[in-house]
Amino acid sequence: MSGHSTYNPTNPVMKWLDDRLPMPRLMYDSFVSYPVPRNLNYWYTFGGILMIMLVSQIITGVVLVMHYTPDTSMAFDSIEHIRRNVNYGNILQKWHAVGASFFFIAVYIHIARGMYYGSYKAPREILWMLGVVIFLVMMATGFMGYVLPWGQMSFWGAKVITNLFSAVPFFGEPIVTWLWGGFSVDNATLQRFFSLHYLLPFVLVGVVILHVWALHVTGQTNPTGVEVKSGQDTLPFTPYATVKDAFALCVFFLFFCAFVFYAPDYLGHSINYQEANPLSTPAHIVPEWYYLPFYAILRAIPDKLLGVVAMFGSILIWFALPWLDTSKVRSAAYRPIYKQLFWILMIVFFGLGVVGANPPEGWWITAGQILTFYYFAHFLVLLPLVGLLETPKPLPSSISDAVLASNGAKAPAAQPAE
Amino acid sequence: MKTIKTLLAASVLGAGLALGSTTGAIAAGKQAQAEDIDFSFEGIFGKFDRAQLQRGFAVYKQVCSACHSMNQMYYRNLGEPGGPELTKEQVNAVAAEYEVTDGPNDDGEMFERPAVPSDKFKSPFSNEKAARSANGGAYPVDLSLITKKREGFHYPWYVSPFIKLVKGNGGPEYVRAVLLGYQDPPAEIAEEANGKSYNPYFASGPWISMAPPLSEGAVEYAEGQPEATVEQMATDVAAFLAWAGEPKMEQRKSMGFMVMLYLALLSVLLYLTKKRLFSRVKH
């Protein structure tokens, strides 16, 4: 989509700057004149929402750090200090904690949208793979952030997850000791997690910039999956996408704030209001809800090492998605069988989350194993086969054709002047 | 937490709720289900009942505080808005009843002085070892966050997320249920008592080291207040501890209302803008 720049500054200061460092031009070309497909629906607004959530997490996080103490003897009390003695601290702290959950809600929707509309297919493989990197960094950041309040679940969650690395053959124990900075989860662990929790969001910013860069090279997909062919197919980012994104963001924040202000503890664990105690193990150690599907995959495999491999593999497999999907048609809207498989995958993924939340006993184990098997079969068997066997529906010749068809055969609207 | 959450959840979760109310009594674990209490501080406009918080504080001060600390609390909290709202004089008087250790002074000596509002609630024991030693090995838990960290409600997994979205975790109900939940143990396990009491509502139960703490007339309520029955005292102290778990809850809710109102209005305006804008183009 990167074409000829139409930026023509009238303000002398902007012109002066543009001649020396074309920052205004970059912004103008990226967020004002940038052409977006005219048929984008609300599922496409989550990219913008995610950017805002990242900024929100960084701002609240920076302020929280001004009052937080990363020391095992004081961490728990310092969070309570924030909630009780810092101005608006109870809202700030929950905005950050609930914000993490809503960050993940948005990212899951964003990923699912990519899978539904085939956003990973050529020429957007790098764009997609950068997205997977972002998701992995987000998971690491979220995990380390949850350890910082030093509650019971913080401590025991850290213990369970870091212990996974002991499954590495031969080097397992040394790796875990190295991660902990000692022989158990202790002060050294808390301090390094704090350091990394502060660092990784800025790594995220960097990868997000690459992600957006790649997006602006290839252009966005759209619900038809047909590439943009002419100016008739697009609208300028501002005002069209800007206003639509702003509206979606506002509605998203309505839900977000409903939790922040009226159910701030709902998405967390009560037991994390109890200070970490290495001598007392909670009855059920469960990660935050957004890790549950992967936790279920981990526990579905009886062998520890293979379980860890399966858990990481369940995300790493997304890197291969552009090549596992053999269909040339992007959008599930024109792929009747894939569309059903997509929704089954969503149900399976949700099911894995439910399994992950429950103790691994009785039929939960069986359910977890069946769902895990299906999850991998979807990517490794069904996806390659369906692409070859499926007969896609006829594609519209262009986005504007599709838009006209769905709006009834009216005369095409004139391209807006902007 | 009823009104808005009910609205929020009702449309999607109606079925789950109907199911939940019939199976609510089936506890997920061994811990018994706490009775749901209609506290004044639930719901989006819920506020604490000042008189109830003051009564609850009296119960904590005269009964619980003999063994249980509240390390997150300061005496000044008692006078702050959104809490029991004692007057300045009352807060000073409460604080002055306690002697706290301060120092070292210029001679390098620690000394005792009367507490002031900026002091933390004085802990009944100087450390955990001392507390255990005085309580037959059991450690009386700090009560600052008891209503946040314990759950009174337990439902089957397929309805629990829906019901708890509406009702919360039942932390205050847990406190009340434990205080009122002392029973004669079932005959077949009676010999396991070992000096402890039987209380199926206790999270690490059913055996609890704490003897029944409340008895009729243990605390005297002021003129014009409800009669200090055991049930009334348990409910009042549960409300007090709910406030102590988050002393700024009322501020959170009132700010939330303004935020939600603002976002709702802005959403409507943005929607109309978007609608008007896109009415000019096919999309």
Side-chain angles (χ1 to χ4, degrees), chain A residues 126 230 389:
Chain A
I126 298 287
S230 72
L389 302 176

Side-chain angles (χ1 to χ4, degrees), chain A residues 282-303:
Chain A
H284 300 292
I285 302 175
V286 194
E288 288 281 76
W289 69 264
Y290 34 86
Y291 302 124
L292 289 175
F294 306 104
Y295 192 55
I297 291 174
L298 169 78
R299 297 192 303 185
I301 317 273
D303 180 80

Side-chain angles (χ1 to χ4, degrees), chain A residues 38 42 77 80 83-86 90-91 247 250 254 261-262 265-266 270 274 354 358 364 407, chain B residues 1 5 44 72-73 76 148-151 161 169 244-245 248 252-253 255-257 274 282-283:
Chain A
R38 64 195 306 143
Y42 282 108
D77 286 344
E80 277 307 312
R83 295 180 49 74
R84 288 158 189 270
N85 303 323
V86 173
N90 59 335
I91 292 157
F247 169 60
C250 210
L254 266 174
F261 289 101
Y262 296 110
D265 297 327
Y266 179 75
S270 300
Q274 183 165 331
V354 175
N358 282 284
W364 285 115
N407 283 359
Chain B
M1 309 256 154
K5 285 194 202 157
I44 48 170
Q72 307 290 351
M73 299 297 290
R76 62 174 163 78
K148 289 266 190 187
K149 67 184 168 192
R150 296 280 184 265
E151 301 186 2
N169 289 330
K248 291 184 179 172
R252 161 165 67 79
K253 286 184 179 174
M255 188 192 212
F257 183 71
K274 183 249 154 198
K282 295 266 177 268
H283 58 281

Side-chain angles (χ1 to χ4, degrees), chain A residues 219-253:
Chain A
Q220 281 166 293
T221 57
N222 66 81
T224 67
V226 178
E227 287 289 348
V228 168
K229 289 177 178 152
S230 72
Q232 283 287 324
D233 293 342
T234 63
L235 294 171
F237 190 92
T238 302
Y240 295 95
T242 329
V243 170
K244 196 167 181 172
D245 282 2
F247 169 60
L249 177 75
C250 210
V251 173
F252 184 79
F253 264 59

Side-chain angles (χ1 to χ4, degrees), chain A residues 111-171:
Chain A
I111 294 169
R113 193 271 293 147
M115 288 183 176
Y116 186 85
Y117 290 122
S119 302
Y120 45 82
K121 295 190 186 182
R124 296 184 181 81
E125 300 95 326
I126 298 287
L127 171 61
W128 169 262
M129 290 160 82
L130 285 168
V132 181
V133 171
I134 291 172
F135 181 65
L136 287 169
V137 177
M138 266 180 74
M139 291 186 90
T141 312
F143 162 64
M144 291 190 218
Y146 193 63
V147 176
L148 302 185
W150 208 243
Q152 272 288 66
M153 206 60 98
S154 300
F155 178 89
W156 290 96
K159 190 136 188 158
V160 168
I161 301 299
T162 49
N163 249 321
L164 295 179
F165 291 90
S166 69
V168 175
F170 206 62
F171 301 108

Side-chain angles (χ1 to χ4, degrees), chain A residues 186-260:
Chain A
D186 208 337
N187 200 44
T189 324
L190 176 63
Q191 292 192 330
R192 64 190 51 200
F193 277 21
F194 173 61
S195 170
L196 293 173
H197 184 71
Y198 207 115
L199 170 71
L200 289 181
F202 298 99
V203 173
L204 270 180
V205 170
V207 188
V208 166
I209 288 173
L210 294 180
H211 189 68
V212 174
W213 186 12
L215 173 75
H216 283 220
V217 170
T218 62
Q220 281 166 293
T221 57
N222 66 81
T224 67
V226 178
E227 287 289 348
V228 168
K229 289 177 178 152
S230 72
Q232 283 287 324
D233 293 342
T234 63
L235 294 171
F237 190 92
T238 302
Y240 295 95
T242 329
V243 170
K244 196 167 181 172
D245 282 2
F247 169 60
L249 177 75
C250 210
V251 173
F252 184 79
F253 264 59
L254 266 174
F255 285 98
F256 174 34
C257 288
F259 277 88
V260 170

